[in-house]
Amino acid sequence: MEYVVGNWKMNLSHAAAVQVARAVSASSAKLTGAEVWIAPPFPYLSIVAEELSRASVPGGAARPRLGAQHVHYEPEGAFTGEVAASQLKDIGCDFVIVGHSERRQFFGETSALAARRTLAALSHGLSVIFCIGESLSERQEGRTNQVLDAQLEALAQTLNGNPTCLDGAVRSPALLIAYEPVWAIGTGQSASLTDIKEGHAHIAAWWKKQGVAPLPPILYGGSVSPDNFAEILKVPLVSGALVGKASLDAEKFSHLARLAVTK
Ligand code: PGA
């Protein structure tokens, strides 16, 4: 199964969010064989949830799933500005994006914090897209694999020793990994097919070394568009994409979903 996940980031108005959600719902109703997920900004989660539930979905096709772009690791309490996993679940979210490079870059997110968020979300029945990836300087210094390992090891350390261990997390609710080279995000220049292949292969090898199965779906993220997605989908171990800019345009995003179905 291929995943096409739209991360709207801090974009769109209320009216535009409704419009895009409605259009994505309508086009996904015609698709079977791809998971279409969208992560609007917090204020629009409920209205998008309503739009998605209103869409008539014929048998066989799956309703697009709703997710958030961030979650707090504590269950509740005095944490001004934060949102709990239980609250996201409560309003109809299915998943959350964690550890995105923009959170790492602008909001001091660390792998350890991202891992704690992952544990909280999984424990409340939310799927998690755990984002990892190297910066341009880390790649140029030849440290890509080392960076990916450190990000994954933080996750393993937090999940193992908990009821939601690494092994259990992949099963249900789902844990997905997004490989997003930081230098390919929002630049209009996706990573080369070779870079994507190497990154995904490294993540899969790390996973196998942990001795846990099955392998989580590994998505690619970074300037995915209708022009490059068909080729990216052919790369071994690519199970779909985390999409920023192209997910704001319902037509482009639906095009990506159709490409995923025909993989
Ligand atoms: P982009 O964003 O598609 O605009 O490069 C991807 C992401 O941030 O997940």
Side-chain angles (χ1 to χ4, degrees):
M1 179 68 77
E2 309 302 315
Y3 296 79
V4 179
V5 184
N7 173 9
W8 291 0
K9 308 190 181 182
M10 199 175 71
N11 292 301
L12 302 182
S13 62
H14 180 279
V18 169
Q19 204 185 359
V20 176
R22 200 169 285 170
V24 168
S25 266
S27 65
S28 334
K30 299 183 198 122
L31 301 178
T32 47
E35 287 272 346
V36 177
W37 295 11
I38 48 182
F42 281 131
Y44 307 142
L45 282 172
S46 286
I47 185 72
V48 170
E50 236 173 78
E51 282 303 323
L52 300 185
S53 64
R54 205 180 286 157
S56 74
V57 177
R63 219 175 265 290
R65 289 181 189 273
L66 178 74
Q69 301 170 20
H70 181 60
V71 64
H72 192 46
Y73 43 78
E74 292 292 351
E76 63 184 346
F79 299 104
T80 301
E82 291 292 323
V83 176
S86 59
Q87 295 171 324
L88 295 176
K89 191 71 190 167
D90 203 22
I91 59 151
C93 282
D94 299 299
F95 75 97
V96 64
I97 298 169
V98 158
H100 190 280
S101 70
E102 284 149 17
R103 297 229 51 102
R104 293 175 188 264
Q105 203 177 334
F106 304 124
F107 305 102
E109 182 77 340
T110 61
S111 295
L113 281 176
R116 286 179 73 188
R117 297 186 205 289
T118 301
L119 180 59
L122 291 171
S123 313
H124 284 88
L126 292 163
S127 292
V128 173
I129 301 176
F130 189 82
C131 303
I132 58 174
E134 80 288 357
S135 66
L136 186 58
S137 59
E138 287 163 342
R139 171 165 283 269
Q140 285 167 341
E141 289 158 14
R143 297 198 295 119
T144 298
N145 290 347
Q146 204 182 320
V147 169
L148 297 180
D149 285 351
Q151 291 169 334
L152 288 168
E153 264 144 36
L155 178 67
Q157 247 175 38
T158 299
L159 294 192
N160 289 331
N162 269 285
T164 317
C165 58
L166 201 57
D167 196 15
V170 183
R171 294 167 201 279
S172 176
L175 171 68
L176 296 84
I177 303 294
Y179 172 51
E180 301 205 295
V182 178
W183 44 274
I185 295 177
T187 58
Q189 188 66 53
S190 73
S192 72
L193 298 178
T194 308
D195 292 340
I196 299 172
K197 185 174 159 202
E198 286 173 2
H200 282 239
H202 185 78
I203 294 164
W206 180 91
W207 214 272
K208 286 201 182 114
K209 245 189 279 164
Q210 310 307 303
V212 295
L215 189 66
I218 309 171
L219 315 186
Y220 165 75
S223 301
V224 169
S225 74
D227 296 333
N228 58 26
F229 194 39
E231 288 306 307
I232 291 172
L233 278 167
K234 288 186 200 149
V235 175
L237 298 166
V238 168
S239 295
L242 181 53
V243 185
K245 193 154 184 273
S247 72
L248 301 174
D249 179 325
E251 211 164 295
K252 280 190 187 158
F253 189 61
S254 302
H255 188 161
L256 297 177
R258 287 195 298 277
L259 289 170
V261 169
T262 54
K263 182 188 173 182

